[in-house]
Structure formats: structure tokens, C-alpha cells
Amino acid sequence: MQVEKQMTVKSTDASIRVYSYWKSIPWKAVEKDVRRLQSRIAKAVSEKKYRKVKSLQWLLTHSYHGKLLAVKRVTTNRGKNTPGVDGVVWRTGRQKMAAVAGLRRRGYAPLPLRRIYIPNKNGRKRPLSIPTMHDRAMQALYKMALDPVAETTADPNSYGFRSHRRCADAIQQCFIILANRQSPTWILEGDIKACFDEISHEWILNNILLDRQILEKWLKAGYIEEKTVYPTRKGTPQGGIISPTIANMVLDGLESVAKASAPPWRQGQARPKINVIRYADDFIITGESKHLLENKVKPAMWLQNAALQI
């Protein structure tokens, strides 16, 4: 019979227990500790205390419980059996515990991503870049620190790649704004062409509130295709755990820009019926006239979206 070793380490807040066996970890307590730090980050963001945000992010990304949860997430999702360029997957409890110990910022250097192509509904193929398990776990760890920032600053009607939101919520919101007699009758529909591939690295590094050095390493890691390493000069790879969150943060602000492009509203006039619903890089914008959408809303969105090189 195996007896678990009793051991403690100094964490950022108090002494915590280090577990010797994967199956002995109390996940509810681990998740509660991580959520507590995430709540503190969200509160600091809402109060615009950005130095405090960075300090709390550092605490989370260096916490033992954060690392445990990061490894759990990459070993329980759909891609758990898909290796990166190193061919490594983590299946046993011992491998997972060793992976937790290996999640360190100091000396971290991500490997290039493994490039594959998957078919689209239109018959074309889109690239998918697969990080190694170690890089996925690091991304999952830092994503936990970025999520509270992203959720606090997100557009109200953004529904893709967000916790507790899904496609059905976007459909419901479409019904709400279009089902009444007074609803707008004109709709601008669009999506951002090659959104993940065209995002400016410079914009990400200057505007995403996360460890700049780690972000830059991920963005510049490159990818391997047919035994050849290719550099990445723009875009965030489809396949990375943190990429959808970054893409959402790049597109946040489209809703406010669209609504601000309407002519000033005066008392006694009808309010401009501009509504924005976005699911990842697909969106619709409603308006009371074709002129408003074509000549006011559309130009304002494209001119002010400096993050995308389009």
C-alpha cells in the first residue's frame, strides 16, 4: 500500500501541500484557490490597478495549484493524445507530476509548432499548429492569468471562445434584437479574413496585459512543416490554447466603435438601432438604414482596428 508523503512548500500566500501522487489531488480545493486569485485579478482590472494586475498574474503563474490545474487541463481535453514536434504525451500520473515540476518561467523556450492541415466545409484546408504538451501546459497556465483580464474588458455581445458562453447564446441575442416590430431592418454581416493569421505581433505585445517575454516567445516560436522550420512574423497560431483568448482581445472594441460611429442622438429623435453580435471573428451589425451601415459603421470599424493588418 502506497503512503503519500507529507510535504509542504512556501507558496505566495501560505504553506501548501505538495502531492506525490496524481490521484490524491483534491481538485475542488485546487480550483477554488485558482479562482480566488482570478477574482482578485478581475477586481484589479476593473479598478484599473494594472501594476497590481501584473503582480497577481505573477502569483498565479508561479503557484503550485495553478500548475497542477494547467497540466490537468491539457491532459483531459480532446487533444490529450496528440503530440507536438517532440512526440511526447503525458498519460501516467508520474509523467503528469513531473510535468508540473517542469513548468518554470526561467529558461523557458517553446519548441516550434507541428503544422498540419484540416479540411473546411468549403473544401479548402486550413492550417492547424500543434504545440508540444509542455508548451500547451505553459499556455494553459498563463491563460488562467489572462482570462480575468479578457472577461472584464470583453465586448458585452461577444460569444465565441468565452467561458459560460456558446453559439446558442449568440443566436438568442440575434432573436432578441430582431424579433420586434421596432427592430432594425438592415444587417451588415461579416467576418475577419484570416483573422488568426493576420494579427499584428507588435499590437499584441503592446496591448495584451500579460508577461511580454513569454508572449513574444510564443509568437516567434515558428512552425515545422515537412521537416522545415518556418518563422512566424504575424498572427497567433490556430491550435494554441491561449490563441482564441488573444484573438478575442484583439477584436474587443468593435462593438463600441460601431455604436460610436452613429450620428449624435438628440432628444426627440429616434435612437440609432445599432447592435453588434460577435462570435469569434464572425459578426453581424444591425442598423436602421443601409446608408448608416455602409457609410458610417463599416469605415469606422476598419479604420480603427489597428491590430489587424488587413
Side-chain angles (χ1 to χ4, degrees), residues 2 17-18 29 76 82 85 92-93 111 125 131 134 144 162 214:
Q2 291 181 326
R17 186 178 182 180
V18 174
T76 55
T82 305
V85 294
T92 67
L111 292 175
K125 293 184 177 181
H134 180 70
M144 286 183 229
R162 292 183 61 188
I214 295 293

Side-chain angles (χ1 to χ4, degrees), residues 26 100 102 127 157 174 179 192 235 290 302:
V100 171
N157 292 294
C174 288
I192 309 297
K290 183 179 179 180
W302 261 251

Side-chain angles (χ1 to χ4, degrees), residues 195-201 204 219 232-237 309:
C195 177
F196 280 83
D197 300 328
E198 297 294 333
I199 298 174
S200 164
H201 285 182
I204 292 174
L219 295 173
T232 47
R233 297 184 177 87
K234 60 182 179 178
T236 179
Q309 299 173 343

Side-chain angles (χ1 to χ4, degrees), residues 260-303:
S261 66
W265 174 78
R266 296 178 182 178
Q267 193 170 4
Q269 295 179 337
R271 290 180 181 271
K273 299 173 182 178
I274 293 180
N275 299 284
V276 181
I277 301 172
R278 180 168 62 84
Y279 189 90
D281 58 346
D282 296 298
F283 60 88
I284 66 166
I285 303 174
T286 66
E288 58 188 3
S289 69
K290 183 179 179 180
H291 175 81
L292 175 64
L293 294 178
E294 277 196 344
N295 298 296
K296 299 292 184 180
V297 175
K298 186 177 177 181
M301 290 174 57
W302 261 251
L303 287 172

Side-chain angles (χ1 to χ4, degrees), residues 201-263:
H201 285 182
E202 183 180 359
W203 191 95
I204 292 174
L205 295 173
N206 291 335
N207 293 276
I208 300 296
L209 193 57
L210 195 67
D211 189 314
R212 183 186 173 99
Q213 291 184 17
I214 295 293
L215 262 179
E216 188 168 16
K217 287 179 179 180
W218 285 331
L219 295 173
K220 305 297 184 184
Y223 63 92
I224 292 180
E225 185 177 2
E226 296 180 355
K227 299 182 180 180
T228 302
V229 180
Y230 296 91
T232 47
R233 297 184 177 87
K234 60 182 179 178
T236 179
Q238 294 188 57
I241 288 177
I242 203 170
S243 294
T245 303
I246 291 174
N248 256 343
M249 295 182 75
V250 167
L251 295 173
D252 283 332
L254 287 182
E255 185 168 347
S256 59
V257 167
K259 291 184 176 181
S261 66

Side-chain angles (χ1 to χ4, degrees), residues 157-182:
N157 292 294
S158 164
Y159 295 94
F161 303 121
R162 292 183 61 188
S163 300
H164 310 298
R165 293 196 175 200
R166 54 181 180 168
C167 185
D169 297 317
I171 294 172
Q172 182 184 32
Q173 184 63 19
C174 288
F175 178 81
I176 290 171
I177 65 172
L178 295 171
N180 298 323
R181 287 185 178 181
Q182 297 80 19

Side-chain angles (χ1 to χ4, degrees), residues 104-117:
R104 300 190 186 94
R105 183 185 185 279
R106 180 176 295 179
Y108 172 64
L111 292 175
L113 292 81
R114 182 165 68 92
R115 174 64 62 90
I116 62 173
Y117 291 87

